[in-house]
Amino acid sequence: DAGVIQSPRHEVTEMGQEVTLRCKPISGHNSLFWYRQTMMRGLELLIYFNNNVPIDDSGMPEDRFSAKMPNASFSTLKIQPSEPRDSAVYFCASSVSGSTDTQYFGPGTRLTVL
Amino acid sequence: KNQVEQSPQSLIILEGKNCTLQCNYTVSPFSNLRWYKQDTGRGPVSLTIMTFSENTKSNGRYTATLDADTKQSSLHITASQLSDSASYICVVKGFQKLVFGTGTRLLVSP
């Protein structure tokens, strides 16, 4: 089992550019989560999908952020336009939904916006 | 307000010693509580998950306790190893919501 796969692992971009982060969940998992982690705020849930449908996007900071899950094996998180304050590590996690639904995290994408 | 507070923020212990990390929460209603270990540069890994009816759960040298009445949890690490150096994050699930603590950064020194 390859685990949750994220790409790219590192991204450096200039303010105003569009950034797309990608995630492949563990096969058979039906819930997918996008998180952002910074030193100041810790781990924050941005959005999660259940069976490819967005369930809760209340953590998405603003309209510059959007997430899609076109099928069970792929999701994207897009930031447009990017700003320096978006610099963080973005994690994707997947789980089998249920009462305990342990989440398995990917290695993260470290985003730096200059 | 739903909150999860962890203490201490950081901790240094000698290899072989035991330590206990604390987590206090105000999340309601309560569904479950999880402890995650996050190594530097990696994603969090689940250590334990406890529901309302469970008051202790072990995973090797890690033992988590839960007191649902006082809304407190602890993570006890026995005979620490250098590989235990990491951040430990407490996460409480309420009604379809996860609330994260900011973590305790543990350094095990040789």
Side-chain angles (χ1 to χ4, degrees), chain B residues 34-87:
Chain B
R34 316 147 188 250
W35 283 94
Y36 283 94
K37 177 188 179 188
Q38 185 175 19
D39 292 315
T40 301
R42 299 194 162 209
V45 174
S46 178
L47 292 175
T48 64
I49 299 176
M50 289 184 292
T51 58
F52 185 87
S53 59
E54 297 173 298
N55 55 25
T56 187
K57 184 165 280 190
S58 291
N59 178 356
R61 294 180 296 101
Y62 300 100
T63 299
T65 64
L66 173 65
D67 186 333
D69 291 330
T70 61
K71 297 187 177 181
Q72 295 180 326
S73 176
S74 65
L75 180 69
H76 186 76
I77 304 174
T78 304
S80 61
Q81 299 177 357
L82 298 179
S83 59
D84 293 330
S85 295
S87 289

Side-chain angles (χ1 to χ4, degrees), chain B:
Chain B
K1 183 180 179 182
N2 289 327
Q3 284 186 316
V4 174
E5 294 184 353
Q6 293 187 242
S7 62
Q9 277 192 323
S10 61
L11 181 63
I12 302 175
I13 62 173
L14 290 175
E15 185 180 9
K17 297 296 186 183
N18 304 336
C19 68
T20 300
L21 314 181
Q22 299 290 344
C23 173
N24 297 339
Y25 63 92
T26 59
V27 179
S28 182
F30 174 87
S31 179
N32 60 53
L33 184 147
R34 316 147 188 250
W35 283 94
Y36 283 94
K37 177 188 179 188
Q38 185 175 19
D39 292 315
T40 301
R42 299 194 162 209
V45 174
S46 178
L47 292 175
T48 64
I49 299 176
M50 289 184 292
T51 58
F52 185 87
S53 59
E54 297 173 298
N55 55 25
T56 187
K57 184 165 280 190
S58 291
N59 178 356
R61 294 180 296 101
Y62 300 100
T63 299
T65 64
L66 173 65
D67 186 333
D69 291 330
T70 61
K71 297 187 177 181
Q72 295 180 326
S73 176
S74 65
L75 180 69
H76 186 76
I77 304 174
T78 304
S80 61
Q81 299 177 357
L82 298 179
S83 59
D84 293 330
S85 295
S87 289
Y88 293 83
I89 303 171
C90 175
V91 184
V92 180
K93 184 177 182 180
F95 180 67
Q96 294 185 331
K97 279 283 190 183
L98 292 177
V99 185
F100 292 82
T102 53
T104 292
R105 187 176 295 274
L106 173 66
L107 176 63
V108 179
S109 176

Side-chain angles (χ1 to χ4, degrees), chain A residues 19-90:
Chain A
V19 175
T20 299
L21 311 181
R22 298 173 176 80
C23 175
K24 177 178 170 54
I26 293 173
S27 177
H29 285 191
N30 62 343
S31 293
L32 183 140
F33 306 78
W34 281 102
Y35 293 89
R36 177 173 66 179
Q37 187 175 41
T38 61
M39 287 293 290
M40 291 296 294
R41 300 171 67 98
L43 203 59
E44 302 173 281
L45 177 64
L46 300 177
I47 184 172
Y48 84 90
F49 295 84
N50 195 45
N51 295 321
N52 311 340
V53 176
I55 302 300
D56 183 359
D57 65 354
S58 59
M60 295 287 263
E62 48 199 270
D63 292 345
R64 296 184 298 105
F65 285 68
S66 62
K68 294 182 180 179
M69 191 164 187
N71 57 62
S73 59
F74 184 66
S75 177
T76 60
L77 177 68
K78 184 177 293 186
I79 308 172
Q80 180 185 23
S82 58
E83 297 181 2
R85 61 191 168 122
D86 301 330
S87 297
V89 180
Y90 291 81

